[in-house]
Amino acid sequence: TEGLPEDEIYVYEDALRGGRSVVVALAENADSASHLREMMKREGAESVDAAREQWWIGLRSAEESHYSKSGKNFADDEKFYRLGFQAALHAKTRCMEFDQVSGEMNAALEDVQRDNPGADVEEAFTRGYQRGRDYYQQLCDEDKKVA
């Protein structure tokens, strides 16, 4: 994972679980990076942003169903729920107990609140974070069964 953004590793893992290939190219400068991106795009490669959207599309309906059971409106809260869900998948907090990551969750929540002044983000973000942790634990459990 060296050189990969820790907050996006789950996207790469999901692609690999789905049988897709992941290509990581380290460029020496911005021009080389731009050239590599164009070449990959020309060859039909999917961007990390597109892969992240596909990942969420695959989860969205189950998460909407789960969230709506609480009487909340998923359409109104999805942005913050998803930010919480994704924050829970950050590589540095994996395999830690909740009390060990609560500080990280609170820091991520504060960032979202700062970026969205006046928005009611706390409940949706926190619920998303908890579901993201559950999701990751489920993946770990499935991997143990396969191994």
Side-chain angles (χ1 to χ4, degrees):
T1 61
E2 188 174 329
L4 297 177
E6 287 183 329
D7 61 339
E8 290 187 338
I9 289 175
Y10 70 92
V11 177
Y12 301 102
E13 291 171 334
D14 182 69
L16 293 170
R17 272 188 201 91
R20 299 187 332 233
S21 298
V22 175
V23 176
V24 177
L26 303 175
E28 292 186 14
N29 56 50
D31 288 340
S32 294
S34 179
H35 176 73
L36 285 167
R37 271 190 223 93
E38 284 303 313
M39 182 182 68
M40 298 294 281
K41 185 177 179 181
R42 239 187 354 262
E43 296 300 321
E46 181 179 54
S47 70
V48 173
D49 292 336
R52 186 182 311 102
E53 287 308 307
Q54 287 300 313
W55 166 82
W56 184 247
I57 287 169
L59 293 172
R60 188 182 184 284
S61 117
E63 294 309 312
E64 179 178 21
S65 175
H66 178 80
Y67 190 76
S68 298
K69 289 177 186 173
S70 69
K72 301 290 183 180
N73 185 325
F74 189 75
D76 292 343
D77 297 339
E78 179 177 5
K79 174 183 176 182
F80 304 120
Y81 180 90
R82 180 177 174 180
L83 287 170
F85 196 105
Q86 290 175 180
L89 302 178
H90 196 289
K92 69 181 171 186
T93 59
R94 291 179 170 184
C95 304
M96 294 178 156
E97 296 298 322
F98 187 79
D99 60 340
Q100 295 173 302
V101 299
S102 63
E104 295 291 336
M105 183 193 76
N106 289 333
L109 174 58
E110 287 173 12
D111 290 344
V112 172
Q113 287 171 323
R114 187 175 31 261
D115 293 344
N116 298 276
D120 183 18
V121 305
E122 186 171 359
E123 184 174 357
F125 182 92
T126 302
R127 286 177 182 262
Y129 194 92
Q130 291 167 339
R131 283 289 288 180
R133 286 186 51 81
D134 292 345
Y135 167 80
Y136 185 73
Q137 186 59 54
Q138 181 182 354
L139 290 176
C140 289
D141 293 345
E142 289 171 6
D143 287 347
K144 287 177 188 172
K145 289 178 186 174
V146 172

